[in-house]
Amino acid sequence: MMEHEEFALRKFVAPEFVFGIDARKLAGRYAKNFGARKVLVVTDPGVVSAGWTYDVLVFLREAGVEYAVFSSVTSNPKTEEVRAGAEIYQREGCNAIVAVGGGSPMDCAKGIGIVSTNNLDILEFEGVDKVGLSTPPLICIPTTAGSAADVSQFAIITDVRRGVKFAIISKMIVPDVALIDPVTTTTMPAELTACTGMDVLCHAIEAFVSTAHSSITDLHALQAIRLVMENLLPAIHEPDNMVLRGMMMQACLDAGLAFSNASLGMVHAMAHALGGLLDAPHGKCNAILLPYVIAFNYEEVPCRYGEIAKAMGLEVKGKAPAEVLSDIVSALGRLNEAAGISVSLGSLGVRRDVIPELAKKAMNDACIYTNPRQPQLQDIESIYEKAL
Ligand SMILES: [Fe+2]
């Protein structure tokens, strides 16, 4: 009946979240309310040494909740780490999970959760809606303003054997609560602030031009773009400024709500291929690829990119589409440079001879389906080539 695209059926999933200074201090109370006897705390060595893991353990102890700690998660979390964590979860008799960290510990925690409840290997959940039973109660405390895994229905896990980063997309891995506390991001070094911030910008831009976008996801995506453009560089220069950190955390949340429900696109498909094959850092890959992918997609949805340009603070009035595109691309180039992010994949150690394999992997990534322009294999190869 209804033919208007804006009224096409769309579903929006989001967890309960508490946003603001000291939200992390609620970890014990939430664990208790979820009926946790013993929680598995999933974290990584960087977060442990920044002090946030211990901080959360104190709140759990105060609430009378026992815990075991699994802290050997690496960046681009691996299937082996999920299996090891699930084993500890079983052995320690845990009945809930608390993730403290960036995207890697949170994605790993989601994996541990569904392996434990479904009693299946992590590889069984690859793809969209492949998870039968949801995770045990899962509390996420993000310590970066980047992945938004704390509010998303995504988990990205690396299968080292195949050299592939695969996506698990299911509402069964949406956390039960996200305790989003900008204080935890004040210990991020400048480089991490920059890379995770550019990941946020990619989430927002890809969600906004996604073929699965909706008016609700648009709202969050545009706000995220505005917030990153206004606050990322200042946050890098003033790491202890709570207002700036709060704005970036808000940007991360907005972008997360947008992409979790609208999905992503070619930048993420291509970055996942790089992460899987070469263990390359996610945010950096995204930042480098973004301008090239925009140039490729642009003609398909110029008006959408016009909206993005406006949210980026660029003047679009009276400008031809080609001019708007070139303004977006140069603004992103300037932002990368000012944020100290290298401009080429070559500088990350990517070699020309791996491009065909990377392109094949990107083509099979779940994120490619919602890209506004469907690429051929050669298109992806040529973008890798240009970004080299
Ligand atoms: Fe991302």
Side-chain angles (χ1 to χ4, degrees):
M1 273 307 224
M2 197 88 76
E3 280 176 5
H4 298 290
E5 203 203 333
E6 61 265 45
F7 297 120
L9 281 177
R10 290 284 189 258
K11 181 171 71 170
F12 192 92
V13 177
E16 175 179 354
F17 54 83
V18 182
F19 184 99
I21 291 171
D22 291 346
R24 73 190 189 287
K25 296 187 175 174
L26 300 171
R29 196 190 303 174
Y30 267 92
K32 195 102 202 151
N33 289 347
F34 289 144
R37 280 186 325 270
K38 186 168 188 178
V39 302
L40 181 68
V41 175
V42 181
T43 185
D44 71 28
V47 180
V48 171
S49 61
W52 300 116
T53 311
Y54 180 75
D55 198 52
V56 170
L57 296 184
V58 171
F59 303 126
L60 291 172
R61 207 177 304 139
E62 281 172 2
V65 177
E66 285 183 61
Y67 53 78
V69 179
F70 176 61
S71 63
S72 30
V73 182
T74 58
S75 58
N76 297 320
K78 325 282 184 281
T79 45
E80 278 317 311
E81 292 157 22
V82 174
R83 291 177 190 128
E87 213 178 290
I88 297 172
Y89 182 91
Q90 281 315 338
R91 197 176 61 221
E92 295 284 336
C94 299
N95 70 339
I97 300 176
V98 176
V100 187
S104 303
M106 291 194 281
D107 283 356
C108 191
K110 290 175 173 183
I112 292 168
I114 50 177
V115 164
S116 303
T117 45
N118 293 274
N119 210 11
L120 289 170
D121 188 72
I122 186 67
L123 294 172
E124 303 291 323
F125 305 108
E126 178 172 353
V128 181
D129 290 336
K130 297 285 161 54
V131 184
L133 298 171
S134 77
T135 65
L138 172 61
I139 299 170
C140 282
I141 304 172
T143 60
T144 62
S147 73
D150 50 298
V151 294
S152 81
Q153 29 188 347
F154 281 61
I156 311 292
I157 307 289
T158 299
D159 180 1
V160 179
R161 212 175 38 83
R162 284 181 295 161
V164 163
K165 244 178 137 171
F166 65 91
I168 299 169
I169 306 171
S170 164
K171 72 173 177 183
M172 298 300 176
I173 57 172
V174 173
D176 292 273
V177 70
L179 303 176
I180 309 171
D181 184 346
V183 175
T184 64
T185 63
T186 52
T187 50
M188 277 200 290
E191 195 190 1
L192 190 58
T193 302
C195 293
T196 49
M198 289 307 291
D199 191 24
V200 171
L201 187 61
C202 279
H203 292 158
I205 291 178
E206 294 218 280
F208 191 75
V209 297
S210 160
T211 55
H213 79 93
S214 68
S215 54
I216 309 286
T217 58
D218 287 352
L219 215 77
H220 291 286
L222 289 178
Q223 165 145 293
I225 294 167
R226 272 192 294 273
L227 287 170
V228 173
M229 295 308 291
E230 285 163 15
N231 298 288
L232 177 56
L233 294 178
I236 292 171
H237 295 120
E238 282 181 67
D240 294 327
N241 185 320
M242 275 315 303
V243 175
L244 298 172
R245 291 296 193 180
M247 292 293 188
M248 283 308 298
M249 208 53 153
Q250 167 85 56
C252 171
L253 170 62
D254 275 313
L257 294 173
F259 91 77
S260 177
N261 291 285
S263 198
L264 294 159
M266 209 163 144
V267 176
H268 270 77
M270 294 178 69
H272 290 158
L274 286 161
L277 198 65
L278 307 164
D279 213 13
H282 177 71
K284 217 175 255 185
C285 296
N286 280 336
I288 295 169
L289 292 165
L290 181 63
Y292 298 99
V293 171
I294 290 177
F296 174 77
N297 285 341
Y298 191 80
E299 267 183 52
E300 204 66 40
V301 280
C303 294
R304 305 288 295 166
Y305 283 109
E307 293 294 313
I308 288 171
K310 275 193 256 170
M312 288 174 72
L314 301 172
E315 187 56 66
V316 295
K317 229 176 172 179
K319 285 191 177 167
E323 210 177 337
V324 175
L325 169 61
S326 106
D327 286 355
I328 294 175
V329 169
S330 35
L332 291 173
R334 284 196 304 275
L335 181 59
N336 272 342
E337 202 190 323
I341 293 177
S342 44
V343 288
S344 76
L345 293 178
S347 65
L348 300 183
V350 181
R351 293 184 327 267
R352 181 158 276 115
D353 58 310
V354 294
I355 286 179
E357 196 180 347
L358 287 171
K360 251 184 253 151
K361 287 184 166 151
M363 202 68 178
N364 287 323
D365 191 277
C367 293
I368 206 89
Y369 304 116
T370 42
N371 195 65
R373 179 175 170 198
Q374 276 315 299
Q376 304 293 314
L377 199 62
Q378 307 88 276
D379 299 323
I380 299 181
E381 284 180 4
S382 113
I383 292 175
Y384 276 130
E385 198 71 50
K386 284 180 197 152
L388 208 57

